Amino acid sequence: MTENSAFHRAWKTRFPLLTAALLAFSCQEQGTGPVTPPRIPCEDAGKLLLPRFSVTTHKHPVKVRGKTTSIPGMTWADGDSVRAFFGGKDVKLVFTREREMYLASYTGGEAKVSLISHGDEGVNGAVGSINSPLFSPDGKKIVFAGTTRGKPGFILDAVPGETDAWRVPLDPKAHVTADPHWFVDSGKTFVYFSTLPGLVNYNPNCSQVAGSTYRVQVLGDTSVDSISITGIPGAYRGGISKDGNWAGTSYAASALYYKPGNELHLLGDNEQQCNPSMNPYPVGSTHMDYMMVLAFGGVPYHTIAGGTVLEGLHENLWIYNKDNKIVWQAKRPDDKVYLRFDKPEWSTHPDFATAVALKYEELGGDGDLYVVKIGDLADAPEGELHQAQAYLKIGSGGFTSDSYSHLWVAP
């Protein structure tokens, strides 16, 4: 148990109201507010419920072009280290910094960085606050939300600077398309998204979480179909498993939904958690229910090995199963340097994830971007609490709690 963990528990004991406010603030960039659950209706997953919005300026696909750049104060892992860590596989990284989005590629050598946002991703062409960028499974496209409110959303060709790229709006009327995620089924490509950009509370009267999960089908390089239902009751902000059976969410309640059986599985004893990320396991894997989250700490969490674990705020990355058991843990790379994690995301490859590690204030307070080697859990026997196998500091300096990232790894 770290000194920081003891500090967090002592603080929570002495100042419970202030602690609750601080914990709610820690996910504020996600649009969260107070943790008190509002009165919410029971939404019908079989109906499309879209409020009216004024039409955004992003009505049509447009051609855009990024630019090759460097970011002052940031350094990148050398190509040899990256090749060794990934076993020679090509990798690409998309990340956000100060409301802009960048693409870093290690294809064939050292990191090449491009600015791929254009300062007009907000509603009606205003400067946005880009979040939740995710590579398609083949690494050719990126889907993202232009604002923390989850609208508008876009699909962008994942190409380096000085190359023409198509940017396609997910919805020309700028409905909320929060936390967009890719899903491929029988040769068809879809983007699933949530109607809630903020807190997703569990409603015991409905036995479901708030909001809805909808989707659009990607029809080609420059077009998508209209919004349609998925049959998933609630806003599942962590995406969907590759077999389409499991959806995950967090931001207040953490939950897994099993679509074939219409089963909701609450995680973390309904304590507030953050940053859900569903596994990218191949169809047919044993553990299609696994989901990565960050937790707020201060309460015991149940592990697959029996017993419980304690932590302070965001001190570990956790992977849960449907039975509310933690099956995997990633500790901070160095608890003398780093205060906590933020914005974890499972990569397109099952063995890797990225997360920002934020330093203590006395050490500068900014963050470094790490790749965490998870290990092969897709079909692993359950019974022991697995641990992260290795860490790679892929980017240094300038990362914050607002810095999203996603990693594409060649098959």
Side-chain angles (χ1 to χ4, degrees):
M1 183 181 302
T2 67
E3 180 180 352
N4 189 53
S5 297
F7 169 79
H8 277 296
R9 289 195 297 280
W11 180 275
K12 287 177 135 182
T13 301
R14 296 181 62 189
F15 307 106
L17 294 178
L18 180 57
T19 299
L22 290 173
L23 294 186
F25 178 77
S26 71
C27 285
Q28 186 176 9
E29 66 273 10
Q30 289 298 320
T32 62
V35 185
T36 304
R39 292 183 63 86
I40 50 179
C42 302
E43 298 197 31
D44 186 346
K47 295 181 179 179
L48 192 65
L49 303 173
L50 292 174
R52 295 183 179 274
F53 286 92
S54 59
V55 175
T56 179
T57 56
H58 301 292
K59 297 179 183 179
H60 307 291
V62 296
K63 274 192 176 181
V64 294
R65 179 177 284 215
K67 60 181 179 181
T68 304
T69 189
S70 61
I71 305 174
M74 279 192 176
T75 58
W76 298 94
D78 64 81
D80 289 341
S81 298
V82 171
R83 281 189 291 274
F85 191 83
F86 291 99
K89 297 179 183 295
D90 288 341
V91 297
K92 294 190 292 187
L93 178 74
V94 60
F95 65 96
T96 65
R97 179 182 181 272
E98 296 182 353
R99 306 181 78 174
E100 295 181 316
M101 184 167 64
Y102 296 85
L103 176 69
S105 174
Y106 274 94
T107 304
E110 303 300 313
K112 296 180 181 178
V113 180
S114 300
L115 174 65
I116 57 173
S117 59
H118 300 275
D120 65 345
E121 287 84 7
V123 175
N124 293 325
V127 175
S129 49
I130 295 173
N131 61 90
S132 303
L134 294 177
F135 284 107
S136 58
D138 60 9
K140 293 181 178 180
K141 295 183 182 296
I142 297 165
V143 67
F144 65 95
T147 68
T148 55
R149 290 180 294 161
K151 61 178 187 177
F154 300 95
I155 297 171
L156 177 69
D157 290 333
V159 294
E162 283 66 58
T163 306
D164 285 340
W166 282 107
R167 188 181 69 188
V168 181
L170 289 177
D171 175 59
K173 293 186 177 181
H175 290 101
V176 175
T177 53
D179 295 277
H181 284 76
W182 298 95
F183 178 65
V184 179
D185 181 30
S186 303
K188 297 179 180 180
T189 299
F190 299 88
V191 173
Y192 279 61
F193 59 86
S194 301
T195 61
L196 289 182
L199 287 175
V200 179
N201 290 293
Y202 172 68
N203 186 342
N205 295 324
C206 308
S207 298
Q208 66 187 54
V209 297
S212 300
T213 299
Y214 297 141
R215 72 182 187 179
V216 295
Q217 184 180 347
V218 181
L219 299 178
D221 286 339
T222 60
S223 62
V224 297
D225 205 350
S226 56
I227 294 174
S228 62
I229 63 171
T230 63
I232 297 173
Y236 281 82
R237 299 183 58 186
I240 187 168
S241 60
K242 285 190 173 182
D243 61 5
N245 289 337
W246 291 94
T249 195
S250 191
Y251 300 113
S254 286
L256 289 163
Y257 176 72
Y258 182 57
K259 189 175 180 181
N262 189 27
E263 301 169 3
L264 183 140
H265 301 255
L266 282 174
L267 310 179
D269 299 326
N270 206 21
E271 295 285 339
Q272 187 169 358
Q273 299 184 337
C274 280
N275 296 99
S277 182
M278 285 299 293
N279 71 82
Y281 294 153
V283 174
S285 297
T286 304
H287 303 305
M288 303 300 291
D289 56 308
Y290 281 10
M291 180 175 70
M292 184 180 293
V293 299
L294 283 175
F296 278 12
V299 296
Y301 301 112
H302 308 283
T303 79
I304 194 71
T308 58
V309 290
L310 288 169
E311 66 164 348
L313 177 67
H314 291 190
E315 288 182 351
N316 297 275
L317 305 181
W318 303 115
I319 294 176
Y320 272 89
N321 70 7
K322 68 180 185 305
D323 300 317
N324 189 29
K325 296 294 194 299
I326 293 172
V327 300
W328 177 89
Q329 174 185 27
K331 301 175 183 178
R332 289 163 291 168
D334 185 342
D335 63 11
K336 295 180 176 61
V337 175
Y338 299 109
L339 172 65
R340 62 185 175 94
F341 282 116
D342 222 321
K343 300 296 184 295
E345 192 69 52
W346 218 314
S347 80
T348 60
H349 193 292
D351 283 357
F352 304 101
T354 51
V356 173
L358 296 169
K359 297 177 183 176
Y360 291 97
E361 287 297 327
E362 58 267 30
L363 299 178
D366 66 343
D368 299 323
L369 186 64
Y370 275 85
V371 181
V372 182
K373 188 170 184 180
I374 297 170
D376 185 6
L377 301 182
D379 297 298
E382 289 191 327
E384 66 173 298
L385 178 61
H386 295 277
Q387 300 290 327
Q389 294 186 347
Y391 299 86
L392 171 68
K393 187 193 298 184
I394 197 168
S396 299
F399 292 94
T400 72
S401 60
D402 293 320
S403 297
Y404 292 84
S405 66
H406 190 227
L407 183 72
W408 176 81
V409 183

